[in-house]
Amino acid sequence: MSIGLSISTLRQRAVAFVFFFLMIRRPPRSTLFPYTTLFRSLIVYTIGSGSQQFVGQREGFLGNTINDMVLDEEDNLWVATEAGITVMKKRGGFFHVGKKQGLPSEEVISLGVDIDNSVWAGTKNGVAHIKRNVVLEILEKKDGLVDNTVLAIAVDALGNKWFGTKKGLSKFTGSEWHNFTRESGLIRNEVRTVALDSHWNVWCGTPDGISVFDGADWRSYRQKDGLPSDAITLIAPDVDGDVWVATRGGVARFTGDHWVKEELP
């Protein structure tokens, strides 16, 4: 990785933004959260006491490289790694979901929680639907997915699944598929992150900027429109209606009509 920043600086930015992202997405209801990632391990930060705990393969994780994390409705933390999924249970302990349990690939790239508290796991060989530690189904290109490499997952309030892939965006209603590509209005087919705001807009982050779908039309934003960089790594709508975006060049916030570049500690 070479983007003009030292590994130390990259780690600091990753920790700061993911910490911030989790605080925005789900304000903590206990002292167990939030969790932040440091590329090669996990830091568990306890609110109130300020204590920190490093968790990795030695402590029971399937792998050390953390690709994604989500909290389910029971406050269990699902961690996607290069060797499968490790789930940290709120009340302590782990369980794992890997190829032995039916995952189509060892490496899990992305995660998303459905409205029934089941979990979707994106891999290079399709997306797996999981309930606790049981793989219920695997969806692939032959089923309607625009591409098998699933880089990002979001689920809206109606239970529609939005899968960002290397070759476009797929919406799965549970029975029907709708696929979107550059021909549809995406700024680039490689959708690395997907988020849903309070107005039901679908935000897609790519290496060339952001595309936003309002259900009918697309609009896009790039560095020339106020982003710090075109390379988008994470999108996080907050409870006030603003949308926070992490890029290779820093963090920006969309207020509804313009972008504001933010300084991180």
Side-chain angles (χ1 to χ4, degrees), residues 1-10 13 248-249:
M1 179 183 292
S2 177
I3 58 174
L5 296 172
S6 68
I7 293 298
S8 175
T9 301
L10 282 169
R13 289 191 177 186
R248 287 284 180 88

Side-chain angles (χ1 to χ4, degrees), residues 2 21 48 51 54 60 82 93 98 132 144 180 182 194 204 220 243 250 255:
S2 177
F21 163 64
S51 66
F54 288 84
E82 83 283 6
R132 299 194 182 276
F180 306 90
R182 286 187 65 183
V194 180
C204 300
S220 296
V243 178
T255 65

Side-chain angles (χ1 to χ4, degrees), residues 69-134:
M69 298 181 293
V70 292
L71 285 169
D72 67 20
E73 292 303 316
E74 297 174 356
D75 279 343
N76 302 309
L77 182 73
W78 293 66
V79 182
T81 78
E82 83 283 6
I85 300 169
T86 292
V87 182
M88 295 181 66
K89 295 188 289 186
K90 178 179 172 63
R91 296 185 178 180
F94 301 92
F95 67 84
H96 305 294
V97 184
K99 289 203 74 174
K100 289 182 179 179
Q101 287 74 36
L103 285 182
S105 170
E106 283 191 349
E107 182 176 15
V108 177
I109 304 169
S110 54
L111 295 168
V113 180
D114 211 329
I115 57 175
D116 64 355
N117 206 37
S118 59
V119 172
W120 294 86
T123 76
K124 293 180 180 178
N125 297 320
V127 60
H129 189 198
I130 306 165
K131 190 72 172 180
R132 299 194 182 276
N133 63 342
V134 177

Side-chain angles (χ1 to χ4, degrees), residues 9-110:
T9 301
L10 282 169
R11 286 177 174 174
Q12 290 171 3
R13 289 191 177 186
V15 169
F17 189 76
V18 176
F19 181 97
F20 193 57
F21 163 64
L22 288 173
M23 288 288 285
I24 291 171
R25 187 171 62 173
R26 173 180 286 187
R29 294 191 295 272
S30 72
T31 60
L32 295 179
F33 306 113
Y35 294 82
T36 65
T37 179
L38 196 59
F39 288 120
R40 300 294 297 180
S41 63
L42 189 72
I43 303 172
V44 182
Y45 179 81
T46 305
I47 298 171
S49 69
S51 66
Q52 297 183 27
Q53 175 188 357
F54 288 84
V55 183
Q57 205 164 15
R58 287 186 300 179
E59 290 74 30
F61 273 33
L62 286 179
N64 280 328
T65 302
I66 297 169
N67 295 323
D68 200 6
M69 298 181 293
V70 292
L71 285 169
D72 67 20
E73 292 303 316
E74 297 174 356
D75 279 343
N76 302 309
L77 182 73
W78 293 66
V79 182
T81 78
E82 83 283 6
I85 300 169
T86 292
V87 182
M88 295 181 66
K89 295 188 289 186
K90 178 179 172 63
R91 296 185 178 180
F94 301 92
F95 67 84
H96 305 294
V97 184
K99 289 203 74 174
K100 289 182 179 179
Q101 287 74 36
L103 285 182
S105 170
E106 283 191 349
E107 182 176 15
V108 177
I109 304 169
S110 54

